[in-house]
Amino acid sequence: QVQLVESGGGLVQPGGSLRLSCATSGIRFSAYVMGWYRQGPGKQRELVARITQGAMTNYADSVKGRFTISRDNAKNTVYLQMNSLKPEDTAVYYCNATLNLDYWGQGTQVTVSS
């Protein structure tokens, strides 16, 4: 069975940092493009960051320079380091794995508030 489990979300003050993790099982992790998406209040789900099998990365303009996506193939885990957080980063963050099919985690809540 395929499982993607996010962790690391929580409440943080503006300007703070948080590191999200997504642990996967049931897939050949190294073969998948991994991504982080988010859905904020009243907003559509959007792509935050992607990392390819070859570790090439893409970021939404809104997070460039602040967020870093990385992967550890030995641990079957993808990470999202979030720095200089803003209130508009508040959202449920979802982990995604895609090859020929898409797999999704349940999401982890990130709240940025003073």
Side-chain angles (χ1 to χ4, degrees), residues 1-113:
Q1 294 182 351
V2 176
Q3 288 189 303
L4 281 68
V5 181
E6 301 96 335
S7 62
L11 175 64
V12 65
Q13 292 185 324
S17 297
L18 215 54
R19 191 191 195 201
L20 306 183
S21 298
C22 173
T24 72
S25 60
I27 63 170
R28 185 187 171 197
F29 179 81
S30 62
Y32 281 75
V33 174
M34 302 299 300
W36 287 96
Y37 291 73
R38 69 186 181 188
Q39 187 166 20
K43 297 181 179 180
Q44 296 186 58
R45 183 175 61 187
E46 64 174 345
L47 175 67
V48 177
R50 290 201 321 165
I51 185 164
T52 70
Q53 302 93 329
M56 297 294 293
T57 58
N58 300 100
Y59 298 93
D61 287 342
S62 59
V63 307
K64 285 181 180 177
R66 300 189 298 120
F67 290 11
T68 303
I69 189 170
S70 62
R71 66 192 297 159
D72 187 338
N73 288 349
K75 295 182 177 180
N76 297 329
T77 300
V78 64
Y79 305 93
L80 185 68
Q81 178 67 47
M82 304 184 293
N83 299 326
S84 302
L85 283 161
K86 304 174 180 179
E88 49 263 47
D89 295 319
T90 295
V92 178
Y93 284 72
Y94 297 93
C95 180
N96 169 263
T98 186
L99 184 56
N100 55 351
L101 296 173
D102 284 320
Y103 299 101
W104 294 90
Q106 292 294 314
T108 185
Q109 177 70 48
V110 172
T111 302
V112 185
S113 177

